[in-house]
């Protein structure tokens, strides 16, 4: 039987099953495609801290690790009053041979300060040179390969979406309601874009190298979470690169994290009817007219 001729409820049930199956099929296809280019020799290659950061979280993770390391070196400080990163030592006076750290300091230049998010963007833009060597070693997918993986994994869902759109056209031509199916198709479209964006950076060999680096640095993770005085700048680079900013229990690193990821503002914590007498034991009549019984204070649900 032609699925386009199914009654509405039956078609919606079929569509939901096909969409779920398409998601599973997409991940299977991506795994197969990822494994087709394993570079076994690269698994034994050592990874530098910023290479680890790129494999874990892309250029954004590299930027976070770089800024945390520069703070540890005393080159910049996280000024929480100004909510900015401030230059403490010029690039030429920093004891480091890493080109990315020097370029990051040079980007502060004449300004001598910048917001943490602006600095992260600058460092991420400068870090593009890290990708090429990792791609040649078979540890990272190129941008073109990631796009290809994204399309490969999303193809089953695209096919289901095409079926849904065809059914919408049939329903409209027959004067049938299609609003629920339109909602399903919108959700499917969001799923397609999600599949496109979920293409990984590390290859299978890259993930093996990351797992090995994490296993080799478990002691560093323990030290970073408790005894930060013992950490060198290179230790901070590796700890943040492997485990993220939260892994380093250092107040200056926490200040950087708060600037990069500020906590959500607590707005609306108290309602306009929170403690006023109009919402007290009298039944809240002045707040209840919207929903017939306390809607302004407690919602319309119960």
């Amino acid at each position: 039987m032609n699925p386009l001729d199914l009654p509405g409820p039956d078609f919606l049930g079929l569509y939901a099953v096909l969409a779920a199956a398409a998601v599973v099929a997409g991940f299977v296809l991506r795994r197969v495609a990822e494994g087709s280019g394993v570079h076994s020799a690269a698994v034994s290659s050592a990874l530098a801290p910023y290479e680890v950061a790129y494999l874990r979280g892309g250029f954004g993770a590299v930027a976070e690790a770089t800024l945390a390391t520069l703070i540890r070196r005393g080159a910049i400080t996280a000024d929480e009053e100004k909510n900015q990163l401030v230059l403490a030592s010029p690039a030429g006076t920093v004891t480091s041979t890493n080109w990315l750290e020097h370029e990051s300091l040079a980007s502060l230049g004449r300004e001598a300060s910048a917001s943490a998010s602006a600095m992260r963007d600058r460092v991420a833009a400068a870090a593009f040179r890290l990708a090429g060597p990792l791609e040649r070693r078979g540890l990272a997918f190129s941008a073109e390969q990631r796009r290809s993986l994204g399309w490969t994994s999303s193809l089953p869902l695209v096919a289901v979406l095409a079926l849904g759109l065809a059914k919408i056209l049939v329903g409209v031509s027959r004067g049938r309601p299609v609003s629920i199916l339109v909602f399903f198709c919108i959700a499917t479209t969001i799923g397609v874009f999600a599949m496109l964006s979920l293409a990984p950076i590390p290859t299978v060999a890259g993930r093996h190298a990351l797992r090995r680096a994490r296993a080799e640095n478990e002691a560093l993770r323990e030290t970073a979470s408790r005894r930060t005085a013992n950490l060198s700048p290179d230790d901070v680079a590796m700890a943040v690169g492997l485990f993220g900013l939260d892994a380093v229990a250092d107040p200056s690193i926490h200040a950087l994290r708060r600037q990069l990821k500020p906590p959500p503002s607590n707005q609306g914590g108290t309602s306009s009817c929170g403690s006023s007498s109009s919402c007290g034991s009298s039944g809240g009549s002045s707040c209840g007219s919207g929903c017939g019984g306390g809607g302004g204070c407690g919602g319309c649900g119960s």
Side-chain angles (χ1 to χ4, degrees):
M1 181 180 180
N2 187 346
L4 297 179
D5 292 328
L6 287 172
D10 293 342
F11 183 84
L12 290 175
L14 174 65
Y15 188 91
V17 171
L18 290 177
V23 171
V24 174
F27 280 109
V28 171
L29 285 173
R30 193 181 77 183
R31 285 295 185 185
V32 172
E34 285 178 21
S36 62
V38 177
H39 199 304
S40 58
V43 178
S44 61
S45 303
L47 292 174
Y50 297 138
E51 291 176 329
V52 163
Y54 177 69
L55 291 179
R56 179 182 65 83
F59 295 125
V62 174
E64 291 178 0
T66 305
L67 294 176
T69 305
L70 288 173
I71 287 175
R72 190 64 173 179
R73 292 192 192 282
I76 59 175
T77 58
D79 189 325
E80 295 202 83
E81 289 187 5
K82 297 180 180 178
N83 202 33
Q84 295 217 319
L85 299 181
V86 180
L87 183 67
S89 301
T93 64
V94 175
T95 307
S96 172
T97 58
N98 185 270
W99 60 269
L100 182 56
E101 293 176 18
H102 283 279
E103 287 192 18
S104 302
L105 289 176
S107 70
L108 275 171
R110 302 168 185 172
E111 302 171 23
S113 67
S115 69
S117 58
M119 275 301 297
R120 177 175 55 190
D121 292 343
R122 293 177 192 177
V123 178
F128 74 96
R129 287 160 50 187
L130 283 171
L134 291 171
E135 292 165 11
R136 289 190 291 272
R137 289 162 62 185
L139 294 173
F141 290 113
S142 66
E144 181 179 346
Q145 288 172 321
R146 290 200 299 276
R147 282 193 296 270
S148 177
L149 285 172
W151 279 112
T152 297
S153 61
S154 65
L155 280 177
L157 211 51
V158 170
V160 175
L161 177 61
L163 178 64
L165 295 175
K167 181 63 173 176
I168 288 174
L169 293 177
V170 170
V172 170
S173 68
R174 296 175 181 176
R176 303 293 176 82
V178 295
S179 56
I180 297 178
L181 183 55
V182 168
F183 173 79
F184 276 31
C185 287
I186 291 173
T188 306
T189 302
I190 294 172
V192 169
F193 282 105
M195 297 288 275
L196 288 172
S197 65
L198 286 175
I201 291 173
T203 62
V204 173
R207 288 198 294 272
H208 281 306
L210 267 179
R211 283 195 293 268
R212 189 185 66 181
R214 288 192 181 104
E216 291 174 348
N217 287 279
E218 274 303 316
L220 172 62
R221 185 175 195 173
E222 179 70 17
T223 301
S225 66
R226 297 187 180 185
R227 298 182 297 276
T228 57
N230 299 330
L231 295 178
S232 69
D234 291 337
D235 289 334
V236 169
M238 182 61 80
V240 176
L242 270 175
F243 308 112
L245 287 171
D246 291 338
V248 182
D250 183 285
S252 58
I253 305 299
H254 284 182
L256 170 65
R257 180 175 58 81
R258 283 191 294 272
Q259 290 192 32
L260 289 173
K261 304 170 184 176
S265 59
N266 184 20
Q267 296 181 1
T270 58
S271 68
S272 60
C273 303
S275 60
S276 65
S277 59
S278 61
C279 291
S281 59
S282 62
S285 59
S286 67
C287 298
S289 58
C291 301
C297 299
C300 307
S302 59

